[in-house]
């Protein structure tokens, strides 16, 4: 009887309403139908103007842009790092220094600035001339420094009797070196560098004279060690930094990995005289700013060409992208936009010189136009919500953004809140990465400063197939 009762209960429990059984056994996705569509996108070139100069590298030199037939010139300003942990051992103890002046005070035998070359664009044998100048006051770490910042015009370069000003003629490939040494530099095992001497008499702001700039640093270290306790006291009181200016020559721009002050001296240890070097580096933690000069009229002529658009650096053109947000959302206000893809295609350069000299930007950022400046000033990163990164496909000659659905939704939500509510901008960028033993991650995004350029299909008078955004909806049944 018990078994019959249990069987009856089981049968009665299975006789409930089964009208929702299908939905209970399937996911929510099955309640939607899939629809696709394509929409035309409009683009135009816009002049970039000055951009935030916050890069891993600095740039120096002068080169002719074959697209504008005008010159691009780069100079840079740099500070030098001093960690608190390094301060106590910057120099050997004063009493051990072998080299002395006529008054018996310790001196540095020689001092040089080394400008370490990471790469270059143009003619490696082009004869160039630079001037190395001392800053009178440091750049402010709280300032957003743009590429139109000129330290001379800003009045922060020290002038007058005794100030550092050292000229140097250089090329990217130093023919005074042996073939074997140049081959080592070409291999990438070591940095090639430009060696700028600072061995003339130096007079500090208080009128004190030293045989060279390195001796000034050494003496201050022994006299006022508290001024070397950290980076901030060092740049405010001892070494505000240097301005490296491209003075003459054309056909070469070098990418500077970092800059060093090297001070060579001798000391005694157990009655043995030994050589030592004190080195100060321009690390990623200090301010470095590239100043870019160019002829704006050449840029304006390219911007006015409405049969294509440009991405051009460092003298600078972006591509503005107007997305058809209303058309995409029309009739689908309550549906889910699951995908929105767009591809930008390269056009051939206008002349052979451009093909040879100008490289395509490797990485480009697509970001809302209104967020452009805040993104870089706030150290933004691609989040695939409002900022998207794409890499140049050299075989397809394209930049592809595979899903901009979040950007479309954000713009739709901002409709009417800005005149640029449906506009984004395509920008060449330098992607900074950090690598561990297992992964490589993006650590920063900066404006691209190499001399790069690419023509893209687009413009208000586009003669090619239109740029289209392909979308996919999940339509609510």
């Amino acid at each position: 009887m018990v078994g019959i009762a249990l069987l009856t209960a089981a049968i009665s429990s299975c006789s409930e309403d089964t009208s929702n059984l299908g939905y209970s056994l399937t996911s929510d996705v099955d309640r939607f139908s899939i629809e696709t569509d394509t929409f035309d996108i409009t683009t135009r070139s816009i002049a970039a103007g000055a951009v935030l100069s916050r890069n891993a590298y600095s740039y120096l030199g002068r080169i002719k842009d074959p697209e504008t037939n005008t010159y691009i010139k780069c100079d840079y300003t740099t500070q030098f790092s001093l960690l608190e942990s390094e301060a106590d051992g910057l120099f050997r103890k004063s009493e051990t220094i072998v080299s002395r002046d006529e008054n018996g005070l310790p001196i540095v035998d020689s001092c040089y600035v080394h400008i370490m070359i990471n790469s270059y664009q143009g003619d490696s044998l082009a004869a160039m001339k630079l001037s190395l100048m001392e800053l009178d006051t440091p750049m402010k770490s709280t300032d957003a420094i743009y590429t139109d910042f000129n330290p001379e015009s800003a009045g922060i370069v020290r002038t007058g009797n005794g100030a550092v000003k050292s000229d140097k003629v250089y090329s990217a490939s130093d023919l005074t070196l042996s073939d074997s040494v140049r081959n080592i530099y070409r291999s990438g095992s070591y940095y090639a560098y430009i060696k700028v001497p600072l061995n003339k008499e130096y007079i500090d702001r208080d009128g004190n004279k030293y045989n060279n700039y390195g001796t000034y640093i050494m003496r201050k270290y022994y006299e006022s060690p508290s001024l070397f306790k950290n980076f901030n006291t060092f740049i405010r009181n001892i070494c505000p930094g240097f301005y490296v200016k491209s003075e003459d020559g054309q056909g070469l721009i070098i990418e500077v990995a970092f800059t060093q002050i090297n001070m060579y001296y001798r000391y005694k240890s157990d009655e043995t005289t030994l050589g030592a070097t004190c080195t100060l580096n321009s690390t990623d933690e200090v301010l470095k700013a590239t100043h870019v000069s160019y002829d704006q009229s050449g840029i304006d002529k390219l911007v006015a060409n409405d049969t294509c658009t440009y991405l051009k650096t460092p003298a600078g053109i972006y591509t503005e992208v107007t997305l058809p947000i209303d058309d995409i959302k029309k009739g689908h206000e309550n549906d889910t936009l699951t995908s929105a893809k767009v591809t930008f295609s390269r056009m051939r350069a206008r002349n052979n010189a451009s093909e040879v000299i100008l490289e395509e930007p490797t990485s480009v950022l697509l970001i809302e136009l209104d967020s452009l400046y805040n993104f870089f000033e706030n150290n933004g990163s691609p989040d695939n919500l409002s900022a998207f990164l794409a890499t140049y496909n050299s075989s397809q000659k394209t930049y592809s953004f595979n899903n901009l659905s979040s950007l479309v939704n954000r713009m739709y939500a901002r409709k009417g809140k800005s005149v640029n509510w449906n506009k984004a901008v395509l920008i060449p960028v330098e992607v900074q990465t950090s690598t561990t033993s297992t992964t490589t991650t993006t650590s920063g995004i900066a404006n691209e400063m190499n001399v790069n350029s690419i023509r893209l299909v687009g413009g208000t008078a586009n003669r090619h197939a239109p740029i289209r955004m392909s979308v996919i909806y999940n339509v609510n049944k």
Side-chain angles (χ1 to χ4, degrees):
M1 295 294 291
V2 174
I4 293 173
L6 290 174
L7 179 61
T8 302
I11 292 172
S12 64
S13 68
C14 292
S15 64
E16 296 175 358
D17 181 20
T18 60
S19 60
N20 292 322
L21 182 60
Y23 284 147
S24 68
L25 297 179
T26 60
S27 68
D28 287 344
V29 174
D30 293 325
R31 304 183 192 183
F32 297 93
S33 63
I34 304 299
E35 289 187 11
T36 64
D37 208 340
T38 59
F39 300 90
D40 291 352
I41 286 175
T42 59
T43 60
R44 69 182 183 115
S45 295
I46 58 173
V51 300
L52 187 69
S53 181
R54 184 186 289 156
N55 299 71
Y57 302 108
S58 303
Y59 296 84
L60 177 69
R62 184 169 180 261
I63 199 167
K64 189 173 185 179
D65 179 355
E67 288 182 326
T68 63
N69 288 316
T70 61
Y71 288 94
I72 300 169
K73 186 169 83 77
C74 295
D75 320 298
Y76 75 95
T77 309
T78 185
Q79 297 172 341
F80 296 90
S81 175
L82 181 63
L83 299 178
E84 200 163 340
S85 58
E86 298 173 336
D88 289 341
L90 200 60
F91 290 97
R92 305 282 176 166
K93 292 182 178 180
S94 175
E95 59 269 21
T96 69
I97 303 301
V98 171
S99 299
R100 303 274 166 169
D101 66 8
E102 64 274 11
N103 298 316
L105 297 174
I107 62 173
V108 164
D109 294 317
S110 61
C111 179
Y112 296 88
V113 166
H114 289 172
I115 299 170
M116 317 303 282
I117 301 173
N118 186 64
S119 63
Y120 66 87
Q121 290 179 275
D123 182 0
S124 66
L125 299 179
M128 307 294 292
K129 181 182 177 182
L130 65 80
S131 287
L132 180 77
M133 292 174 272
E134 173 189 8
L135 297 186
D136 191 50
T137 56
M139 296 179 289
K140 295 179 181 178
S141 60
T142 55
D143 291 345
I145 300 174
Y146 281 72
T147 52
D148 59 353
F149 173 76
N150 185 330
E152 288 185 295
S153 301
I156 68 169
V157 174
R158 187 183 170 208
T159 58
N161 188 33
V164 168
K165 187 178 187 302
S166 184
D167 297 335
K168 175 72 176 182
V169 175
Y170 68 95
S171 62
S173 184
D174 189 346
L175 295 181
T176 65
L177 300 175
S178 66
D179 289 342
S180 59
V181 172
R182 287 204 303 274
N183 286 335
I184 290 173
Y185 289 145
R186 290 193 194 102
S187 72
S189 302
Y190 297 91
Y191 286 109
Y193 61 88
I194 302 165
K195 187 176 183 179
V196 185
L198 294 182
N199 293 313
K200 295 179 181 179
E201 181 182 67
Y202 176 71
I203 304 174
D204 69 14
R205 295 168 189 78
D206 298 323
N208 301 309
K209 295 182 179 180
Y210 308 87
N211 67 307
N212 61 41
Y213 187 79
T215 296
Y216 157 73
I217 298 289
M218 174 185 273
R219 295 268 186 86
K220 288 296 184 182
Y221 178 75
Y222 293 139
E223 293 169 8
S224 306
S226 63
L227 300 182
F228 289 77
K229 67 180 181 180
N230 58 44
F231 165 72
N232 289 320
T233 59
F234 179 67
I235 66 166
R236 286 200 303 266
N237 300 284
I238 304 298
C239 177
F242 286 97
Y243 174 43
V244 187
K245 181 180 181 181
S246 181
E247 290 280 18
D248 201 1
Q250 70 95 8
L252 175 69
I253 287 184
I254 63 170
E255 185 177 69
V256 179
F258 56 95
T259 309
Q260 292 180 330
I261 302 175
N262 288 294
M263 296 160 277
Y264 303 96
Y265 64 98
R266 290 167 292 154
Y267 72 99
K268 185 161 286 190
S269 176
D270 297 329
E271 304 304 317
T272 301
T273 298
L274 301 171
T277 305
C278 174
T279 300
L280 300 171
N281 286 301
S282 63
T283 64
D284 290 342
E285 290 72 32
V286 303
L287 282 179
K288 296 177 287 185
T290 297
H291 171 229
V292 182
S293 305
Y294 59 94
D295 185 347
Q296 184 63 43
S297 65
I299 295 297
D300 292 341
K301 288 179 182 178
L302 296 185
V303 169
N305 178 9
D306 59 1
T307 62
C308 65
T309 67
Y310 284 88
L311 296 178
K312 196 168 182 63
T313 60
I317 302 176
Y318 298 156
T319 289
E320 181 187 274
V321 181
T322 302
L323 298 178
I325 304 299
D326 280 335
D327 292 339
I328 293 172
K329 284 291 188 176
K330 186 176 181 180
H332 294 280
E333 293 83 354
N334 298 319
D335 298 329
T336 302
L337 182 66
T338 60
S339 178
K341 179 179 179 179
V342 63
T343 295
F344 299 94
S345 300
R346 175 188 183 272
M347 293 173 62
R348 285 185 58 84
R350 289 191 176 277
N351 58 64
N352 291 333
S354 298
E355 290 279 1
V356 173
I357 295 174
L358 301 174
E359 297 181 359
E360 302 89 353
T362 301
S363 301
V364 295
L365 184 78
L366 185 69
I367 187 171
E368 291 170 308
L369 181 57
D370 284 342
S371 301
L372 174 58
Y373 293 100
N374 286 338
F375 177 87
F376 291 102
E377 290 183 6
N378 296 325
N379 293 310
S381 60
D383 56 7
N384 293 325
L385 295 172
S386 61
F388 303 80
L389 194 65
T391 301
Y392 183 64
N393 184 321
S394 57
S395 60
Q396 300 293 324
K397 302 187 185 305
T398 57
Y399 300 99
S400 291
F401 295 89
N402 291 319
N403 195 352
L404 301 177
S405 58
S406 62
L407 180 62
V408 172
N409 290 330
R410 279 174 59 89
M411 287 181 168
Y412 187 65
R414 292 180 63 243
K415 181 180 178 180
K417 296 180 180 179
S418 164
V419 295
N420 299 319
W421 68 274
N422 62 344
K423 291 179 170 57
V425 62
L426 202 57
I427 311 166
V429 292
E430 171 195 309
V431 180
Q432 300 156 7
T433 60
S434 57
T435 304
T436 66
S437 58
T438 56
T439 60
T440 298
T441 58
T442 299
S443 58
I445 299 290
N447 288 286
E448 178 62 74
M449 299 296 291
N450 277 300
V451 181
N452 290 343
S453 184
I454 188 171
R455 288 202 312 152
L456 298 175
V457 171
T460 56
N462 175 27
R463 300 168 184 170
H464 301 270
I467 307 170
R468 289 193 171 99
M469 174 174 278
S470 303
V471 302
I472 300 175
Y473 306 96
N474 275 349
V475 180
N476 198 355
K477 290 181 179 178

